[in-house]
Amino acid sequence: MKVLVIHNLHRKGSASGDDQVFKSETALLEQHGHQVVRYTDNNDRFDRLGPLGKLAAIGGMLWSFRNSRAVREIIRKERPDIVHVHTFFPMLSPSILYAARREGCKVVATLHDTRFICPCATSLRGTELCNRCGDGKYLRMCRYGCFKGSRLQSLPVALIFTYHRLRRSFYRQIDRYICLNDNQIRLLKQIGFEEKKIVKKYNFVPDAQANIAAAVPEGLPERYAVFYGRIGEEKGIRVLQQIWEQLPEIPLVVMGGGPLEEEFRAWAQEREQVHFLGYTQHDKCLAIVKGGEFVVFPSIWYEGCSMVEIEAESLGRAIVATDLGFSQEAITDGINGYKVALGDVSGFVSRIRQLWADPEKCRTMGEAARREYEEKYLPEDNYRQLMEIYEKTLRGE
C-alpha cells in the first residue's frame, strides 16, 4: 500500500506528541513494506518570514494555495492509495483536505487534540476547561482572548474556523476520524460528527523497557519522583509547583522545555528537593525516568493519548495523574497508578506521599503498568489496527 501522510510539524526542539506519532507511525508502515510519501510544513517557516510574509501566512491559515497545489501535484505523481492527515493547523490549512478529496483520495485524519471543538485545540479558557465553541460561535474567543491570551490574535483564528464550519469542511472532507480516547468521541458526537466515521486507536511507543537501562546522573538523589514533558500551563506545571510546595521531603526530577521554562527554573533553584534538568535528549530522559520511583502527571487539559504516560508504562513506572481525558482510560486507580481530581493539590500530595513511603507498592504498580503497555500499546498491535482502518476506509465501510 502507498500512503501519503501529511503533517504540520511544530517548532524545532518541540517535544510535541503529534510530531512523535507522525514519525513513529510512518516508520512503522515502512518497516512493514508499505510505501510512505511524507508531506510536511512547519511552524519554524512562519518565524523566518518578514512582516509581509507573516501577514500572507496568516491568510494562508484560512486557505493555503501553496500547500493545496503541492498536495494535488504529489497525488497526481505518486497516486497514493490513501491519504492520512495528522495536524493541519496552522500552516497547512484545511485546503489540503479539499486537495486530497478533489484528486479522488480517501482521507483518514488522526485527531491529536480537541481542535474540531476548540480552535485553540486545548479546550481551555485560561486554566479552566471549556468546550463552549463546539456550538460554532467562535467569535467568543475574542472576548476571552483564548488564542495565546490575545483578543487580537484570536480574531483570525475565530474567522478561519467560522468559515470552515459554515462549509462543513471537517464533516465532509474526511472519511474516517481516528480518535485517541472516549472523551474525544463523546465531544465529536455532541457536535454532530457521524459516529460511523469515528474509530478509536491509541498511540504506541517502541518497547523502551527492552532497550533502555536505568541511569541516574551524578548529582541526583538515589530515589526521586519524575515529571517530564512540555513545561507549559496545560501540562499542569503550576499545579506541580503547588504540589511540591507541600513535599519538601520528596525529591523531584523535572525534564522538558516550553513557555514556562525560565519561570519554572527560577522556582526550582529556590528548592533543594527539585532538580530541573531542562530539555533532555530522549533516550537519556527515558533512562532517568526508569531510574525514578514513579511519574507525576498533573495535566489540566484533555490529553489525547499521552506519549508520556505510554512511555512511563513501557518503562514499568506507575503514574499519578489527573483524572481527565486519556488518563481516565490509561490508569486503573490503585493498580497501575492513581487518578486525582482535576486541580486537587491535596489529593496529589496524599497519593505521592503514599507511594513514596511504600517502595514495594511502587514496584508492584510499575509491574502492572508494564502489563498495561503490553496489552494496549505495542507497535505490532497498533500496525494491525491502522491497516484495518485503512482497508475499511478504502472499502467505504
Side-chain angles (χ1 to χ4, degrees), residues 53-111:
K54 286 183 177 178
L55 187 62
I58 291 170
M61 293 174 190
L62 173 68
W63 191 277
S64 175
F65 290 99
R66 169 182 174 272
N67 285 307
S68 177
R69 284 194 301 269
V71 168
R72 297 190 74 168
E73 288 170 5
I74 288 171
I75 292 173
R76 290 168 186 169
K77 177 183 177 182
E78 299 289 345
R79 306 313 306 173
D81 296 293
I82 199 162
V83 174
H84 189 159
V85 177
H86 285 271
T87 300
F88 60 82
F89 191 80
M91 304 303 291
L92 288 166
S93 88
S95 68
I96 55 101
L97 303 174
Y98 286 85
R101 291 301 296 269
R102 287 169 181 171
E103 292 300 322
C105 289
K106 295 283 189 179
V107 177
V108 171
T110 296
L111 309 188

Side-chain angles (χ1 to χ4, degrees), residues 230-232 237 256-268 276-279:
R230 189 169 187 265
I231 310 299
I237 285 296
L260 298 181
E261 182 174 353
E262 291 310 311
E263 179 184 329
F264 185 81
R265 187 186 305 277
W267 176 85
F276 181 46
L277 307 185
Y279 171 77

Side-chain angles (χ1 to χ4, degrees), residues 18-45:
D18 50 350
D19 285 359
Q20 189 176 342
V21 172
F22 164 74
K23 293 170 185 175
S24 60
E25 204 165 84
T26 52
L28 184 68
L29 287 168
E30 288 177 328
Q31 289 166 17
H32 284 82
H34 301 285
Q35 290 180 269
V36 177
V37 181
R38 297 168 176 83
Y39 182 75
T40 64
D41 205 338
N42 65 79
N43 294 342
D44 286 326
R45 183 171 68 83

Side-chain angles (χ1 to χ4, degrees), residues 16-224:
S16 171
D18 50 350
D19 285 359
Q20 189 176 342
V21 172
F22 164 74
K23 293 170 185 175
S24 60
E25 204 165 84
T26 52
L28 184 68
L29 287 168
E30 288 177 328
Q31 289 166 17
H32 284 82
H34 301 285
Q35 290 180 269
V36 177
V37 181
R38 297 168 176 83
Y39 182 75
T40 64
D41 205 338
N42 65 79
N43 294 342
D44 286 326
R45 183 171 68 83
F46 181 84
D47 296 336
R48 294 192 296 268
L49 296 172
L52 290 178
K54 286 183 177 178
L55 187 62
I58 291 170
M61 293 174 190
L62 173 68
W63 191 277
S64 175
F65 290 99
R66 169 182 174 272
N67 285 307
S68 177
R69 284 194 301 269
V71 168
R72 297 190 74 168
E73 288 170 5
I74 288 171
I75 292 173
R76 290 168 186 169
K77 177 183 177 182
E78 299 289 345
R79 306 313 306 173
D81 296 293
I82 199 162
V83 174
H84 189 159
V85 177
H86 285 271
T87 300
F88 60 82
F89 191 80
M91 304 303 291
L92 288 166
S93 88
S95 68
I96 55 101
L97 303 174
Y98 286 85
R101 291 301 296 269
R102 287 169 181 171
E103 292 300 322
C105 289
K106 295 283 189 179
V107 177
V108 171
T110 296
L111 309 188
H112 294 277
D113 47 45
T114 57
R115 194 177 297 278
F116 289 174
I117 295 98
C118 165
C120 298
T122 61
S123 287
L124 288 175
R125 184 192 296 170
T127 59
E128 300 296 323
L129 285 174
C130 175
N131 292 300
R132 289 183 63 192
C133 284
D135 63 6
K137 297 177 181 178
Y138 302 119
L139 288 175
R140 68 164 60 88
M141 292 174 59
C142 304
R143 186 191 321 159
Y144 299 108
C146 293
F147 188 71
K148 296 186 176 181
S150 167
R151 293 180 177 181
L152 182 60
Q153 291 187 68
S154 296
L155 179 59
V157 176
L159 293 175
I160 288 166
F161 278 82
T162 296
Y163 172 79
H164 287 288
R165 179 76 169 234
L166 291 172
R167 292 196 67 174
R168 296 182 64 80
S169 299
F170 309 132
Y171 296 82
R172 294 173 176 167
Q173 306 304 317
I174 298 172
D175 297 287
R176 187 84 67 192
Y177 310 98
I178 299 177
C179 288
L180 305 180
N181 60 59
D182 291 333
N183 180 65
Q184 281 184 326
I185 294 173
R186 176 181 61 81
L187 291 172
L188 287 182
K189 288 165 62 177
Q190 284 178 353
I191 63 171
F193 280 74
E194 297 177 58
E195 185 173 2
K196 67 179 182 181
K197 293 170 66 172
I198 299 171
V199 63
K200 184 172 77 170
K201 181 183 77 66
Y202 294 130
N203 294 332
F204 74 94
V205 296
D207 190 352
Q209 175 82 1
N211 301 310
I212 299 292
V216 181
E218 187 177 348
L220 293 185
E222 184 178 345
R223 295 184 69 215
Y224 53 86

